[in-house]
Amino acid sequence: MEITVKIDKRSKQAKAFYEYLKTLPFVEIQEPRYNKETEQAIKDAKSGKTSEISLTDFRKELFS
């Protein structure tokens, strides 16, 4: 069985609980590598949901 728990680590109790969970041998902690937007962009790219853009247009978008 798999259970997902979201912990807001801004409080002392939550931090202590998180640290305790990390010590348990049957608990696996999975944290995202990046923020949500970046994770979604990676998933989209891997699944082929991309679009072509010229370098000139890309630079215009980037620096405007």
Side-chain angles (χ1 to χ4, degrees):
M1 176 173 24
E2 186 172 310
I3 299 173
T4 301
V5 178
K6 294 184 180 183
I7 301 173
D8 182 352
K9 295 187 272 183
R10 291 182 282 187
S11 72
K12 288 183 182 180
Q13 292 98 348
K15 286 180 187 176
F17 180 61
Y18 177 75
E19 292 301 320
Y20 169 69
L21 287 176
K22 289 183 355 183
T23 66
L24 300 174
F26 52 86
V27 173
E28 179 182 332
I29 306 290
Q30 293 181 347
E31 294 191 49
R33 298 173 293 176
Y34 309 105
N35 63 32
K36 291 179 183 179
E37 293 83 15
T38 304
E39 288 288 346
Q40 185 61 47
I42 292 169
K43 287 179 186 176
D44 289 347
K46 285 182 178 180
S47 67
K49 296 180 184 177
T50 60
S51 57
E52 289 187 31
I53 187 170
S54 71
L55 182 57
T56 304
D57 291 340
F58 175 71
R59 286 180 178 158
K60 285 179 184 175
E61 282 187 33
L62 190 61
F63 296 113
S64 60

